[in-house]
Structure formats: C-alpha cells, structure tokens
Amino acid sequence: MAVLTINMEFAHRQASMVLDLDPTLDRTVLGFLTHRVMYEPDVAHVMLRAVQDGDVAVDVGANVGYFTVLLATLAGPHGRVVSFEPGADNLARLERNIAVSGKENITVVTQPASDVAGPTRFYLNADASGGHALWDPGRFPGNAKSAAQVRAVDVVATTLDDEVARLGLPPPKLIKIDTEGAEHRVLKGATGLLRERRVRYIIAELHDFGLDQLGSSQQDLRGFMAQFGYATFGLYYDGSLPKLIPPDTVLEPRQIVNLLFSTVEDVGRLWQVERFDPLVARQAAQRTA
C-alpha cells in the first residue's frame, strides 16, 4: 500500500487529497496518476466545476473512495458526502481512505442503493473489485474467475430517497452512480429527488450489458430521466463542453462511458465560456479515422 497526495488543478481552483492505494489492486487509478492525468477525468472535471463548499453530494458505488474523498474535499467542512459501498472488500479500503484523508464530512452507507428498499442479492466480482453488481458478473465476457465460482451475499437494499431523508439532508447538488448497470434502478429509487429537477447534476455510467442484465436499456434509462426534464450529455476526458445527445440518437461507445443528466441551463452555468475551433475537431477526426 502507498499513501499518496493527489493534486488536481482546474482553472483557478485547486484540490488536494490523500489516498492509500494498492499497486496491484489500484493499477488503473495509478496508471492515470502516473501520467499526471486525473482518474476518470470526464467525471472529475464535472465535480471540480459543480461541487462547491457547503454542497451535498452522493457517491453510489464508491469502491475504495477516490471520488468520495474528492467530493468531500470539494464540498468542504460545511458540506456533506453520502457514500454507498456494499462490497465488504471495498468497504474496508473505503473506510481506510476516509481515515487517511482526514475527512469528517462523509457518511458511509453499507447497503446497495436500488429502486426499492428490501432484501436483494449482491454479487461479488472475482475478476475486478470494481465489478460487484446486482447481477452475476460471471456472465460478462472475459470474467473467467467470476464464471468459475459464483459469489453472492443476501443483503437489504435501500434507496436514495430513503437515505437522504433519513440523514435529514437537502437535495444533493450532484449524484455520481457507478453500479455496473443498476443505474436505472438506483434512479428509480430517487424519484422524490428527481422531481422538479432538485438534483442539478447526475453522472451515471452507461453499462449497456449490465443494464440488459437487469431488464433495462440505454433507451429506458435515458427515457426515464427525460420524464423528469433531464437531457442527456456525453462527457469528454479533456473536460470540454459536454455534448448534448438528442433523444432519438443511440450512443454506440467503444467502451463503457459516463453520461451527465442535467439541463442545458445548468450545464451552461458550469461552462460559461468554451473555445470553439472546427478545424481542430476536423484534424482530430482525420487522425482517428
């Protein structure tokens, strides 16, 4: 294990956080940091722009706490972060990272978030600690260890609406969801928060395979959010202006990506100025063609 200080800089804003990372288990995160790039920079850029001192934020599928600690740093001592992580292996490391970071504005929920509160089965991924899910990860192509031995535990799920109410918190400014395809279920359990778009920014992983395993789809997820007035935006690693995705346009990403659910007005509040050079975009397209 290695205790690292991670420094981030965005425009005139800086953030510094401390994490205890494992060179073996956290290879992906460390790979980004080694090249002086933020881990999942598409997600981090939104957080750096959106979350301010005193805000409430939620991290669903916290894993070992990278984004939980970042959100707690940005929300400051007057803010609050609610972190959901039901995987026992990840939970121990999440709590370790919270302790190492010295953040006291984090509440950890050890139950999975879903559409309804009650008993459910939670599957542990033997191939990747970030792949625990509400469906059997042994079905995912390439997960040989998970396919060879199914590991599951019976747990009691909760909902975002229930937990925010239980903690007596105002609507979060931002919710990040990374639940291997359970994003639609998690958001169904947050309808009280979604009404009147009380949450301005929702970052959700787009995991088409996982959505299908739980009886949903990209179209179902996006259509559900549209009912509450949320538009779909694609996020870029360089932090540039998110791309508005028309309702009838189906995304075909080369990899698992993150979506932003928000409104044109709220995205405009975060990206008030954007450099625009069509020639640069054309040159980039030619290089990747």
Side-chain angles (χ1 to χ4, degrees):
M1 305 291 276
V3 177
L4 301 176
T5 298
I6 302 168
N7 297 307
M8 298 184 183
E9 184 171 353
F10 163 74
H12 300 294
R13 189 179 190 193
Q14 296 180 338
S16 180
M17 60 183 188
V18 178
L19 291 176
D20 190 355
L21 299 176
D22 187 297
T24 300
L25 298 176
D26 301 313
R27 288 194 302 270
T28 302
V29 176
L30 289 169
F32 276 88
L33 299 179
T34 298
H35 292 89
R36 297 184 180 277
V37 177
M38 293 182 287
Y39 172 61
E40 290 198 24
D42 51 338
V43 174
H45 275 296
V46 178
M47 293 178 174
L48 283 164
R49 287 177 181 266
V51 180
Q52 305 295 327
D53 185 35
D55 284 338
V56 174
V58 175
D59 184 4
V60 185
N63 196 260
V64 301
Y66 181 92
F67 285 122
T68 288
V69 174
L70 174 58
L71 288 169
T73 300
L74 298 174
H78 300 103
R80 189 84 168 270
V81 175
V82 183
S83 179
F84 290 76
E85 180 49 58
D89 52 348
N90 291 335
L91 181 60
R93 299 187 59 213
L94 169 64
E95 292 176 338
R96 164 65 177 164
N97 277 319
I98 292 173
V100 168
S101 73
K103 302 302 176 186
E104 299 181 350
N105 57 344
I106 301 170
T107 298
V108 176
V109 177
T110 60
Q111 299 166 259
S114 191
D115 53 341
V116 294
T120 191
R121 180 153 288 193
F122 187 70
Y123 293 84
L124 304 176
N125 190 318
D127 297 88
S129 63
H132 301 337
L134 292 177
W135 52 275
D136 181 5
R139 301 173 190 161
F140 191 76
N143 280 354
K145 294 179 181 178
S146 298
Q149 183 177 8
V150 178
R151 296 189 302 156
V153 292
D154 292 322
V155 297
V156 178
T158 186
T159 69
L160 290 186
D161 278 344
D162 286 352
E163 292 306 310
V164 170
R166 179 181 68 85
L167 295 169
L169 298 174
K173 175 84 164 292
L174 179 145
I175 297 174
K176 166 255 173 185
I177 311 172
D178 183 351
T179 52
E180 306 301 301
E183 289 75 18
H184 192 179
R185 287 195 180 184
V186 172
L187 289 166
K188 282 183 176 180
T191 55
L193 294 171
L194 298 180
R195 290 192 187 99
E196 300 178 357
R197 296 184 299 280
R198 299 167 70 199
V199 182
R200 288 189 177 183
Y201 307 102
I202 299 166
I203 304 169
E205 183 181 76
L206 177 59
H207 194 310
D208 284 313
F209 187 93
L211 285 167
D212 181 68
Q213 297 301 302
L214 295 174
S216 183
S217 67
Q218 175 187 151
Q219 294 88 339
D220 291 339
L221 171 62
R222 292 172 55 195
F224 174 79
M225 294 302 289
Q227 293 176 24
F228 295 92
Y230 288 93
T232 300
F233 298 84
L235 296 176
Y236 295 101
Y237 268 32
D238 66 358
S240 58
L241 181 68
K243 184 175 184 177
L244 177 63
I245 310 298
D248 293 332
T249 299
V250 177
L251 292 173
E252 293 185 348
R254 297 180 181 179
Q255 60 203 31
I256 295 174
V257 297
N258 293 290
L259 301 178
L260 172 64
F261 293 111
S262 188
T263 65
V264 171
E265 293 77 15
D266 279 332
V267 169
R269 289 186 176 94
L270 301 187
W271 278 265
Q272 295 185 1
V273 177
E274 179 74 4
R275 292 182 180 177
F276 180 67
D277 188 341
L279 181 59
V280 172
R282 179 183 175 187
Q283 291 173 339
Q286 289 175 338
R287 287 196 297 271
T288 58

